[in-house]
Amino acid sequence: MKRNLAMAAGGILLLLLFPYIVTLFMTGTFVREQEEQAESGKRIRVEDEFGVTEIDLEAYAVGAAASQIPGDYEEEAVKAQMIIVRTYLYKTMGDADVMDSQAFSCGYWDTADREEAWGEQFAEYQEKFSRAGQETAGQVLFYEGQLIDAMFHRASAGMTRAAGEEFPYLASTDSNQDVDMDGYVTIREFRPSELVSAIGALRGQSLTEEEAMNIQIVSRDEAGYVQTVMAGTEEYSGDETAAALGLPSPAFSVSRTETGLKFVDKGSGHGYGLSQWGANKLAAEGQDAAAILSYYYKNITIAFFE
């Protein structure tokens, strides 16, 4: 009788553990993320080789944040990023209860992606990101009652950029700690033929090599980012010029060399909103996620989405 009871109990336990055993067999790791995350009521369809799965927005936010910010960053910086990505997801979904992941411009790392990226630190970082998701569940960023465009970048050129009257919460902010980032300065040299090809690809303008060598920076914003560039007979924005040349940011300067033009670039990303490197520095100094977000986004409110 006792043996039969033990076998029955073992069978029940096996049924309860079956989802985790399958996960362990497939990935080598117990994954309880989705079960542990709060439920938002909104779901996102994710397609992989096994089919389509609907994931709650809260669990999706963890995977999206994991793809956006380095795993070794301070937990309060991760929490700030979690609130940023959740704001984006809610703003994009609007009144929809279900949406395909292709509708979002943010990345998403599933468990296998995180294991591959984080390696031996997978368990540590997974716990950090899951906890960050749990402790900020439902929190988003508002400005005057509306969800904001919570822009962010890896590191500024020392100041973040102002985005104009349409985005009053994206004001220029001192972020001088960004200069400490490894790779803060990038130097690239281009031969005239390379410039002709790269700039010509933007709008099909046929530049001569001499015209390419005479590229001029026309204007910068108060944070030092290039606003407009003149090449040949066309004006280009600093952002599209940086993208065409493969530069990390539009905070660049140009000088002639014997063989072409040298571009000296500062920071990484467009420079608007939160600097992840700066956020991590503030977190290391003891600032919490709310303080970090309020520093980089002006006059915003952190509240629960209803």
Side-chain angles (χ1 to χ4, degrees), residues 124-138:
E124 174 191 351
Y125 296 167
Q126 176 77 349
E127 182 180 357
K128 180 199 301 184
F129 277 73
S130 292
R131 186 168 56 245
Q134 294 160 14
E135 294 182 3
T136 65

Side-chain angles (χ1 to χ4, degrees), residues 155 178-187 248 265-268 277:
D178 291 341
V179 302
D180 296 330
M181 184 187 77
D182 291 340
Y184 169 74
V185 175
T186 302
I187 300 174
D265 200 42
K266 297 178 180 179
S268 180
W277 181 269

Side-chain angles (χ1 to χ4, degrees), residues 227-306:
Q227 291 179 307
T228 53
V229 171
M230 176 65 75
T233 59
E234 293 277 350
E235 275 195 355
Y236 303 92
S237 72
D239 292 277
E240 63 183 337
T241 304
L245 297 176
L247 300 175
S249 91
F252 56 81
S253 59
V254 185
S255 60
R256 277 187 177 243
T257 68
E258 292 182 357
T259 58
L261 292 184
K262 179 172 71 173
F263 287 74
V264 178
D265 200 42
K266 297 178 180 179
S268 180
H270 49 60
Y272 294 107
L274 177 135
S275 160
Q276 291 180 328
W277 181 269
N280 193 51
K281 287 284 191 177
L282 292 176
E285 294 170 2
Q287 300 290 319
D288 64 13
I292 292 167
L293 291 166
S294 296
Y295 182 77
Y296 282 106
Y297 305 108
K298 304 306 180 186
N299 302 313
I300 52 92
T301 301
I302 303 171
F304 292 98
F305 187 85
E306 297 179 359

Side-chain angles (χ1 to χ4, degrees), residues 68-296:
Q68 293 173 342
I69 190 168
D72 62 352
Y73 273 28
E74 298 284 336
E75 188 162 330
E76 291 302 318
V78 173
K79 287 181 183 178
Q81 190 68 34
M82 202 75 66
I83 295 170
I84 286 170
V85 73
R86 188 183 293 109
T87 302
Y88 167 74
L89 294 175
Y90 272 115
K91 187 175 178 68
T92 303
M93 291 192 74
D95 295 330
D97 292 326
V98 182
M99 188 170 284
D100 292 335
S101 61
Q102 291 89 339
F104 303 105
S105 62
C106 64
Y108 172 78
W109 282 359
D110 61 18
T111 303
D113 294 326
R114 285 172 247 174
E115 281 189 295
E116 181 178 355
W118 292 339
E120 294 180 356
Q121 283 73 45
F122 170 76
E124 174 191 351
Y125 296 167
Q126 176 77 349
E127 182 180 357
K128 180 199 301 184
F129 277 73
S130 292
R131 186 168 56 245
Q134 294 160 14
E135 294 182 3
T136 65
Q139 295 179 29
V140 292
L141 302 171
F142 291 98
Y143 178 82
E144 295 185 347
Q146 300 295 318
L147 291 170
I148 74 168
D149 287 307
M151 301 179 74
F152 66 93
H153 55 285
R154 183 53 53 88
S156 76
M159 293 280 292
T160 66
R161 304 171 75 179
E165 294 181 0
E166 186 178 354
F167 306 95
Y169 48 84
L170 295 177
S172 185
T173 300
D174 182 9
S175 192
N176 60 69
Q177 59 267 48
D178 291 341
V179 302
D180 296 330
M181 184 187 77
D182 291 340
Y184 169 74
V185 175
T186 302
I187 300 174
R188 291 197 59 187
E189 293 193 28
F190 296 88
R191 296 189 300 274
S193 60
E194 293 173 321
L195 294 168
V196 167
S197 177
I199 300 300
L202 287 173
R203 298 179 199 160
Q205 182 183 189
S206 297
L207 291 176
T208 66
E209 291 193 355
E210 184 57 33
E211 287 174 328
M213 288 290 290
N214 286 318
I215 289 174
Q216 299 290 323
I217 293 174
V218 177
S219 63
R220 295 181 183 273
D221 62 21
E222 62 180 356
Y225 287 81
V226 174
Q227 291 179 307
T228 53
V229 171
M230 176 65 75
T233 59
E234 293 277 350
E235 275 195 355
Y236 303 92
S237 72
D239 292 277
E240 63 183 337
T241 304
L245 297 176
L247 300 175
S249 91
F252 56 81
S253 59
V254 185
S255 60
R256 277 187 177 243
T257 68
E258 292 182 357
T259 58
L261 292 184
K262 179 172 71 173
F263 287 74
V264 178
D265 200 42
K266 297 178 180 179
S268 180
H270 49 60
Y272 294 107
L274 177 135
S275 160
Q276 291 180 328
W277 181 269
N280 193 51
K281 287 284 191 177
L282 292 176
E285 294 170 2
Q287 300 290 319
D288 64 13
I292 292 167
L293 291 166
S294 296
Y295 182 77
Y296 282 106

Side-chain angles (χ1 to χ4, degrees), residues 46-53:
V46 178
E47 185 174 359
D48 58 25
E49 65 268 32
F50 302 108
V52 178
T53 304

